[in-house]
Amino acid sequence: YPDRIKSGVEGINLEECGNLSFTKPNHQIFPCLNLAYEALDAGQAHIITLNAANEIAVNAFLHKKISFTQIYTLVRGVLDTFKSENPGDIESIILLDKNVFFYIEKILYAQVLRTLHKRACASQPSAPGCARRSAPAVAQRGCTVLRFLQHYAFHFLCVLVQWPKNS
């Protein structure tokens, strides 16, 4: 306001709508509504975290990175993880928003790596890391981060180039 972008949609005339009826929301069907109520009770930091997490989760859903039902799980996990003080200035708000973004991106990246690992092992069970142990087992055995990433990089490249090629 006052400079609004034209949406191409006319406003709603409630006189022309006829009867409108409202019912109490079903919190089992709409679990994210509970998150909003919790955020309102918890304070500004929680509201900012909820907004950022929801925005990123919905974007991930729209880009087919997660399923619809994973939106709630992802946002719930972020809200359970981030316990911040209410921000006192705009820099704190921006920092909290960025921290939530990077946290969720890390979770989504890990999901992609797990999926690639499963696909590569399914297509090439004798590939390094598939026959002897799974990726979580590699991590549990105390392998270095570099070796762990090399394990996933091998699988990623196999999927990328579709190796071994079917003859």
Side-chain angles (χ1 to χ4, degrees), residues 28-70:
Q28 297 273 325
I29 295 174
F30 305 107
C32 289
L33 190 54
N34 293 327
L35 300 178
Y37 287 126
E38 286 176 30
L40 286 172
D41 291 338
Q44 188 178 12
H46 214 71
I47 294 168
I48 293 165
T49 302
L50 170 67
N51 182 64
N54 185 63
E55 185 177 315
I56 297 162
V58 168
N59 188 45
F61 165 71
L62 293 174
H63 288 91
K64 300 183 183 348
K65 293 181 181 179
I66 63 172
S67 68
F68 180 76
T69 56
Q70 286 177 301

Side-chain angles (χ1 to χ4, degrees), residues 113-131 133-134 151 154-155 158-159 163-164 166:
L113 291 178
R114 281 193 296 275
T115 301
L116 289 173
H117 179 263
K118 287 178 186 176
R119 287 181 186 166
C121 286
S123 67
Q124 185 66 24
S126 62
C130 291
R133 56 193 175 269
S134 66
H151 172 80
F154 173 80
H155 291 299
C158 288
V159 171
W163 178 79
N166 293 332

